[in-house]
Amino acid sequence: MAAPALARVLTAAPRALGSPVGGRARCSGVPPGPPLPPAAPPWDPPERARLRAREHKEKRQRQRRERAALGGAGPQVPTAPPKGWTPKTVVEYQHPVDPDGKKATGVALPPAYSPRYVEAAWYSWWEQQGLFTPPASVPGGGQVLSLVLPPPNVTGSLHLGHALTVALQDALVRWRRMQGWSVLWVPGTDHAGIATQAMVERWLWQQRGLRRQDLTRSEFLEEVWTWKQRHGDEILRQLRALGASLDWSRCAFTMDPGFSRAVAEAFVRLHEAGLIHRDRCLVTWSCALRSALADVEVEPRALTGPTALRVPGCPQPVTFGVLVTFAYPVEGGDGLELPVATTRPETMLGDVAVAVHPDDPRYMHLHGRHLRHPFTGQLLPVVTDPTVEPARGTGAVKVTPGHSSPDLALARAHGLPVLSVIGDDGTMCPPGGGWLQGIHRFVAREKVMAALAERGLYRGAQDHAMTLPMCSRSGDVIEYLLKSQWFLRCREMAERAREAVTSGRLQLIPKFHEKNWKTWMDNIGDWCLSRQLWWGHRVPAYRVGVSSAGSPPEHPEGLWVVGRSEAEARAAAARTLRCPPGELQLQQDPDVLDTWFSSALFPFAALGWPEETPDLQRFYPTNVLETGSDLLFFWVARMVMLGQQLTGRLPFSQVLLHSLVRDAHGRKMSKSLGNVIDPCDIIAGASLQELQERLHHRLLDPHELTVATEGQRRQFPHGIPECGTDALRMALCSHNVHGDDIRLDVGTALSYRHFCNKIWNAVKFVLAALGPDFVPQPPEEMVPQHPMDRWVLSRLVQAVSECGRRMEALEVHGAIAAVHHFWLRSFCDVYLETAKPTLRHPATAAETRRTLLSCAELGLRLLAPFAPFLGEELWQRLPRAPPAPPTLCLAPFPDAARLAHWRCPKVEAEVAAMQEVVRTARALRDTFRLGAARPPVAVRCAAEAQDSLAALGPALQALAQVGPLQLLPQGAEPDLGPGWVGAPTGPDTHVYLCLRGLVEPAAAQAQLRARSRGLQRRLETLGGTQGSGESPPRPGTQQQVAILRSELARLAQALEALDPPGPPEDPGVRRGDPGSQ
């Protein structure tokens, strides 16, 4: 906001403040008329020292504001501690707890907010009291909230993305619990087949020099379970540290016996419904993991041209984005050849034909001819197919059906054979062995091109834009291999999932996700369920053999049966083959199921499905799911499809999808970058040495460890400050998760720690004001009379209404903003300052105390869903009218309807007008750097505003830090005498301060000119020089330039106000009238 213009007030002789010219004057709090002393008395030395200290403090504050305005974008990676970070005294809670585990609240509060003290002992007491477990029964008409925590990987640890989900869900859970709802929030962990197996394999190799293949399957699984027991509790510890009010009695693990039964049941039911089938198809394959992947686990990487990438298992970087052309000689000895272009020359050993478009005139003479393979000697037919695009490459396409889905479809259409030349581990395995056997596929690429050049068949290479499929798990380049796997038909389930969104039965928040949902469901294919792992749910399918007479029906792979157990599968096979069960030999499929298959069952399997348990009947379907938008198709879509298929109901009715979480510089969170932050490091703080020691326990390869170590050193050179759980939760909840990517910064959490300290001090002030003998009444029953009491309670009900509205809309960031604004801007910054003088007057003290308690008690209830530890610590110490709940967790959440009698728009408008006067007065104080002095103030305003300003006079004086207040009628000439400066507040209001005895004009002018010169130099560096040759500011500095220009204008007006009066002017111009300026 632009600074107010200043106006001089020049008159011949001083007048008493109580004797205005041209109308009446009023002084707030006293009858009009007390004379103003002609000059301020000389200050004594202690007063001078106090004012100098105050001036130094204000100077530091101004410098901080200027640095913030002029700081610009700054360096890419910070090299200084977060702004406002100074080491704080850590206070530990060392008092004994009550017999029931409750923290002692009768002891004195520490002088300053200390998260470690505040957060001690409360969570264990909440658990012991069973506050997180819903009651056994719900009263008639009672409302229920049930939801599941997205199960994190059991062997990992939570990062800030997980913490964001926890903070958002827990805010919703605590809010509904305080509203009297029956709430169930189910925790759990996921076995994470690929991630966990890869982690344990890496650990075995680093610690014991063993590979998985050196162990039997059962031995390896024992190692995984040992690892899970050693590391699995880390996540549960982090969740408790975050204050998550989860029902731990219902904690689920996707490899628990009950959950495993649910997975087998789901597979069997889907197979019986004809949705699960076994087929030999091309699958997306990770050679690094030696396992199939789901399509959604493939990350397409766009390349604009030649790009060198590191590939797991390959000794040197591989260049992609190159189109290679070579020729196949035409059989017949007439010297003809057919050129083909490919980005995968190594797969030419699996070519079975070359396809051309039937109408391409370049190749019509080759229809029906054969080509001689230069390495195998096989004859490859030239086939015609309308799907070939003549304009792409050479217009002739090598057909490699063993490694390309389009080529496989073309081969089957033309009855061509299928060859596979790349093995599971990514090495070459051409039929019959040969010179490339066992060589890495990308090393073989160079050898193939060299061999083609030796035979004179290499025709060159060119840059080529392409999309490279990458494994999101390992970073390997995806291969397409022909495998016999179990597949789930998704088309019918996807149609129902699509309809759930279009009909409104399933709500995706934000709404723009609906378009992607519909597109994905319209283009869905079969889901490959098989994974070639040892850790996970074994596929409940068995291959059947017959030990004596008879044989299974003819089938390329024999007979497969599915059953919940081997006995059930044996009985099914016996019925099919009409033979005794004892004659059958069953071998269970060694593969495991995709982790996302079991995760998709979590909302109902965690509640006891397939059994009709009381939990399933009472809490399923759940209400809402909160998770990352990157899991929309990995997890959410599959829960919806399988939930409807297996239970007949949607697993939830609302899905809140938060944006991708990045670091403060917009980079994706990555262990290899060193920017993955453990939430507990923000809660408790961590030195750089501690952060880097933990990197060595993350099983990173040497290159990743080096990069991550340097990344941490640059991003956190001074470590991470202790912010506390409540500050972290509020910082996370403050982000608008409905919009663009979220940039999480430790500095945001630090600012919320300062906010916690502000609340701490405010409640301590309230407790001191109430005293030990205060008798509380229910806050809602208070009927305020004093205007500032009415104002703050009206602001409180406005915050309650806004918070409730935002929470209903799942806009948690808006709710925390409303709470933050009330506590900081309405209660702490305004009301507490105005309450200090009213507490000294017996006539107003009682009502002020009741208002203080109402604001603090209801304000802490508002805060509780977001900052439960701070809220509980302070709320327990406030006097409360009986009957009171034992904990803030169960205190009624403020209801705007019950507080509607506090709404007072008229008083809010009057206080808002008064605050404008305060801002103008403070701007004048800041311009002339008045320190702690409280100069007299005069306000010229309309008659209708004078009554409200008179009533609000003490508040105005306290907030503006001014002395006696004089009110002047609008239109009157402000004949106040020399030494007064003024500035407009609006079209009808002017504010004047008396500087007599406070400012020496010559010294003040010198100081103002020096400040102007400094600001002018800074403006010139930003390219925003003023004057006739004014140049436009540099890009990105417009806001800084605007601030500097506004400040320069304010200083220029201050200088003008200090100038001595000039010679007499035209009588028609009244220089004393600010309106003539």
Side-chain angles (χ1 to χ4, degrees):
M1 185 178 72
L6 294 173
R8 276 185 305 181
V9 181
L10 303 172
T11 53
R15 283 186 182 271
L17 199 63
S19 304
V21 175
R24 65 193 181 105
R26 301 183 59 181
C27 182
S28 174
V30 293
L36 180 70
W43 296 329
D44 56 14
E47 178 70 5
R48 287 180 179 273
R50 186 174 68 85
L51 291 177
R52 278 198 299 272
R54 179 65 177 267
E55 289 173 358
H56 288 316
K57 179 179 179 181
E58 291 183 346
K59 179 179 179 181
R60 291 193 299 270
Q61 291 173 341
R62 282 194 300 272
Q63 289 173 344
R64 283 198 295 268
R65 290 196 298 269
E66 290 171 359
R67 284 196 298 270
L70 302 174
Q76 178 66 19
V77 180
T79 57
K83 184 181 177 184
W85 179 22
T86 55
K88 308 295 182 184
T89 302
V90 176
V91 181
E92 302 271 359
Y93 178 80
Q94 297 177 337
H95 305 285
V97 297
D98 294 345
D100 64 349
K102 184 178 180 180
K103 192 174 181 179
T105 57
V107 298
L109 286 171
Y113 170 70
S114 177
R116 208 167 300 184
Y117 179 95
V118 169
E119 293 161 15
W122 285 121
Y123 194 91
S124 58
W125 181 66
W126 292 333
E127 278 197 85
Q128 292 175 27
Q129 298 301 305
L131 300 180
F132 305 155
T133 301
S137 61
V138 180
Q143 293 179 293
V144 174
L145 173 68
S146 62
L147 66 164
V148 297
L149 177 74
N153 294 354
V154 68
T155 59
S157 61
L158 300 183
H159 53 66
L160 288 182
H162 296 111
L164 174 62
T165 291
V166 171
L168 292 172
Q169 284 198 341
D170 196 43
L172 295 171
V173 162
R174 289 178 178 271
W175 169 58
R176 288 302 193 194
R177 192 180 287 124
M178 293 177 71
Q179 287 185 319
W181 289 37
S182 179
V183 177
L184 174 63
W185 188 17
V186 180
T189 51
D190 190 274
H191 67 279
I194 291 177
T196 302
Q197 179 162 315
M199 183 77 72
V200 175
E201 287 191 52
R202 185 180 299 179
W203 182 84
L204 284 172
W205 176 251
Q206 290 186 1
Q207 300 297 319
R208 294 161 57 182
L210 293 175
R211 298 188 183 276
R212 170 169 58 100
Q213 292 77 9
D214 298 330
L215 305 174
T216 65
R217 184 169 187 150
S218 59
E219 290 172 339
F220 179 77
L221 291 179
E222 287 180 6
E223 294 287 350
V224 179
W225 278 106
T226 302
W227 174 278
K228 186 262 180 187
Q229 297 302 326
R230 187 164 56 241
H231 298 277
D233 291 340
E234 171 66 15
I235 286 176
L236 307 185
R237 181 187 68 82
Q238 289 178 300
L239 290 171
R240 285 181 164 89
L242 285 167
S245 56
L246 294 151
D247 184 357
W248 295 107
S249 66
R250 291 173 167 87
C251 188
F253 175 46
T254 52
M255 288 288 285
D256 285 339
F259 207 104
S260 297
R261 286 194 299 273
V263 172
E265 179 70 26
F267 189 94
V268 171
R269 290 192 186 185
L270 293 169
H271 182 267
E272 291 174 346
L275 297 176
I276 287 182
H277 63 103
R278 187 172 178 84
D279 199 358
R280 184 171 177 80
C281 299
L282 281 178
V283 298
T284 51
W285 187 270
S286 171
C287 298
L289 301 174
R290 300 193 187 186
S291 176
L293 299 174
D295 291 342
V296 292
E297 293 172 305
V298 178
E299 292 182 348
R301 180 166 181 176
L303 307 179
T304 58
T307 306
L309 300 175
R310 286 189 168 273
V311 178
C314 192
Q316 65 271 341
V318 183
T319 299
F320 299 91
V322 176
L323 189 67
V324 174
T325 303
F326 67 91
Y328 274 120
V330 179
E331 182 68 10
D334 49 7
L336 296 176
E337 64 179 27
L338 182 54
V340 295
T342 179
T343 59
R344 298 293 309 271
E346 67 275 12
T347 63
M348 59 93 66
L349 293 171
D351 289 355
V352 297
V354 173
V356 297
H357 194 278
D359 300 328
D360 192 336
R362 295 173 293 176
Y363 305 123
M364 283 186 176
H365 63 291
L366 297 178
H367 292 187
R369 301 288 295 272
H370 286 77
L371 313 173
R372 179 68 67 177
H373 197 289
F375 302 133
T376 67
Q378 297 293 320
L379 290 178
L380 311 181
V382 177
V383 299
T384 60
D385 195 281
T387 62
V388 175
E389 300 179 32
R392 290 177 63 89
T394 64
V397 178
K398 58 190 286 293
V399 181
T400 318
H403 302 285
S404 166
S405 295
D407 290 4
L408 179 60
L410 192 149
R412 287 176 172 171
H414 292 271
L416 300 172
V418 178
L419 299 179
S420 294
V421 295
I422 297 176
D424 294 354
D425 60 353
T427 61
M428 301 298 293
C429 58
W435 56 291
L436 294 177
Q437 185 72 34
I439 296 177
H440 193 282
R441 62 198 188 280
F442 295 124
V443 175
R445 173 180 295 185
E446 301 299 325
K447 294 182 178 293
V448 167
M449 289 193 294
L452 287 170
E454 288 179 4
R455 289 164 171 76
L457 299 174
Y458 181 73
R459 297 292 177 264
Q462 63 187 65
D463 297 353
H464 180 67
M466 63 179 294
T467 299
L468 193 67
M470 307 290 291
C471 172
S472 62
R473 299 286 187 179
S474 65
D476 197 4
V477 177
I478 289 294
E479 292 295 336
Y480 295 93
L481 303 185
L482 199 61
K483 296 287 183 182
S484 293
Q485 309 277 271
W486 293 98
F487 293 88
L488 175 62
R489 296 185 177 95
C490 297
R491 174 64 61 187
E492 294 180 6
M493 293 189 295
E495 290 176 357
R496 291 196 296 271
R498 187 187 194 282
E499 184 277 334
V501 169
T502 56
S503 67
R505 293 188 297 117
L506 176 61
Q507 184 182 7
L508 301 182
I509 305 170
K511 193 176 179 64
F512 62 76
H513 289 294
E514 292 183 3
K515 181 178 179 181
N516 291 336
W517 178 273
K518 296 169 187 175
T519 301
W520 194 78
M521 292 299 174
D522 290 341
N523 296 278
I524 199 169
D526 288 359
W527 174 9
C528 177
L529 299 179
S530 301
R531 297 292 180 270
Q532 289 63 46
L533 306 171
W534 284 356
W535 171 246
H537 297 103
R538 192 95 172 256
V539 177
Y542 302 80
R543 190 171 183 175
V544 181
V546 181
S547 58
S548 58
S551 61
E554 292 186 5
H555 190 277
E557 296 185 345
L559 175 66
W560 285 88
V561 293
V562 170
R564 298 168 181 82
S565 64
E566 182 176 340
E568 181 178 306
R570 184 180 298 276
R575 289 193 299 271
T576 300
L577 299 176
R578 294 185 176 87
C579 65
E583 296 182 2
L584 300 177
Q585 297 177 344
L586 269 63
Q587 181 179 7
Q588 188 173 1
D589 191 330
D591 292 347
V592 301
L593 292 168
D594 182 6
T595 298
W596 295 108
F597 181 79
S598 55
S599 299
L601 312 179
F602 199 84
F604 45 95
L607 297 176
W609 185 90
E611 305 297 329
E612 282 295 325
T613 63
D615 277 358
L616 190 68
Q617 295 174 0
R618 182 178 170 194
F619 295 111
Y620 186 82
T622 62
N623 302 73
V624 64
L625 174 75
E626 200 290 329
T627 189
S629 58
D630 55 329
L631 297 182
L632 180 60
F633 304 120
F634 276 99
W635 188 43
V636 178
R638 290 164 171 174
M639 284 190 287
V640 171
M641 290 193 296
L642 292 184
Q644 290 195 108
Q645 179 66 33
L646 296 172
T647 71
R649 292 179 289 179
L650 286 168
F652 29 72
S653 56
Q654 288 183 310
V655 182
L656 174 59
L657 298 156
H658 67 246
S659 309
L660 184 64
V661 176
R662 298 183 180 273
D663 69 6
H665 309 291
R667 301 175 300 177
K668 188 175 181 180
M669 297 286 190
S670 169
K671 292 180 182 177
S672 61
L673 289 177
N675 62 352
V676 174
I677 303 175
D678 185 336
C680 291
D681 288 337
I682 298 180
I683 292 172
S687 66
L688 178 62
Q689 180 181 355
E690 291 171 329
L691 293 174
Q692 302 215 322
E693 285 176 355
R694 291 183 194 133
L695 280 180
H696 292 272
H697 296 89
R698 287 185 174 173
L699 301 179
L700 301 174
D701 65 42
H703 174 73
E704 287 180 328
L705 182 60
T706 301
V707 174
T709 301
E710 179 60 24
Q712 273 191 348
R713 186 180 295 113
R714 289 169 61 84
Q715 188 169 6
F716 307 114
H718 302 275
I720 298 175
E722 179 191 27
C723 298
T725 298
D726 291 323
L728 174 60
R729 287 168 59 110
M730 288 190 286
L732 293 169
C733 288
S734 69
H735 289 87
N736 181 2
V737 299
H738 297 194
D740 297 330
D741 290 350
I742 301 167
R743 294 192 177 192
L744 293 180
D745 184 9
V746 174
T748 307
L750 190 62
S751 70
Y752 273 96
R753 171 178 170 144
H754 299 330
F755 175 58
C756 291
N757 188 64
K758 195 87 169 178
I759 295 175
W760 181 269
N761 290 330
V763 176
K764 284 186 65 179
F765 175 87
V766 172
L767 291 170
L770 297 180
D773 300 325
F774 182 81
V775 179
Q777 296 176 348
E780 296 85 352
E781 296 179 4
M782 182 180 175
V783 181
Q785 302 298 324
H786 190 273
M788 287 307 296
D789 296 330
R790 297 172 66 193
W791 173 81
V792 74
L793 293 177
S794 184
R795 298 303 302 160
L796 175 57
V797 71
Q798 176 69 21
V800 170
S801 176
E802 179 69 4
C803 182
R805 184 182 69 83
R806 292 293 196 132
M807 293 294 278
E808 290 286 354
L810 301 183
E811 297 174 355
V812 182
H813 65 284
I816 188 65
V819 176
H820 181 273
H821 189 273
F822 169 75
W823 269 103
L824 193 61
R825 302 303 175 200
S826 298
F827 188 62
C828 294
D829 288 356
V830 177
Y831 184 74
L832 287 188
E833 296 302 318
T834 65
K836 293 172 184 177
T838 59
L839 285 170
R840 293 193 289 266
H841 295 282
T844 57
E847 182 176 326
T848 300
R849 291 190 182 97
R850 290 195 297 271
T851 303
L852 286 170
L853 178 59
S854 297
C855 290
E857 207 271 344
L858 292 172
L860 289 175
R861 287 197 235 165
L862 274 183
L863 187 71
F866 315 104
F869 293 102
L870 178 64
E872 189 76 77
E873 181 74 34
L874 297 176
W875 185 85
Q876 289 284 351
R877 296 169 184 269
L878 290 175
R880 299 183 298 279
T887 169
L888 180 60
C889 299
L890 300 179
F893 194 80
D895 182 0
R898 294 189 60 193
L899 305 175
H901 61 284
W902 285 350
R903 287 188 182 273
C904 195
K906 181 176 181 293
V907 171
E908 288 197 49
E910 292 172 350
V911 174
M914 180 268 289
Q915 288 178 299
E916 290 298 322
V917 172
V918 168
R919 275 188 278 272
T920 302
R922 291 179 72 94
L924 289 169
R925 291 177 52 85
D926 185 64
T927 298
F928 293 100
R929 299 185 175 179
L930 298 184
R934 292 180 173 266
V937 62
V939 180
R940 190 182 67 180
C941 58
E944 59 269 17
Q946 291 199 11
D947 290 337
S948 63
L949 281 179
L952 294 169
L956 189 154
Q957 292 172 286
L959 295 173
Q961 299 176 9
V962 295
L965 168 66
Q966 179 183 2
L967 298 176
L968 305 174
Q970 188 178 12
E973 183 176 345
D975 189 8
L976 299 173
W980 287 77
V981 293
T985 295
D988 301 322
T989 306
H990 276 67
V991 179
Y992 306 93
L993 288 186
C994 180
L995 304 184
R996 287 200 308 270
L998 303 178
V999 172
E1000 198 285 311
Q1005 286 175 340
Q1007 188 181 67
L1008 290 172
R1009 290 191 181 99
R1011 289 162 61 188
S1012 296
R1013 288 192 295 270
L1015 292 176
Q1016 187 66 39
R1017 286 193 296 270
R1018 293 179 183 179
L1019 188 63
E1020 292 171 358
T1021 63
L1022 296 176
T1025 308
Q1026 298 191 60
S1028 58
E1030 182 174 336
S1031 59
R1034 294 199 304 266
T1037 64
Q1038 290 89 342
Q1039 183 177 3
Q1040 300 170 45
V1041 167
I1043 293 173
L1044 286 173
R1045 288 176 177 170
S1046 174
E1047 181 67 14
L1048 280 168
R1050 190 158 68 101
L1051 294 179
Q1053 292 159 355
L1055 281 167
E1056 182 184 356
L1058 289 174
D1059 281 341
E1065 298 183 1
D1066 189 304
V1069 179
R1070 295 183 302 168
R1071 296 192 62 212
D1073 185 358
S1076 66
Q1077 297 290 317

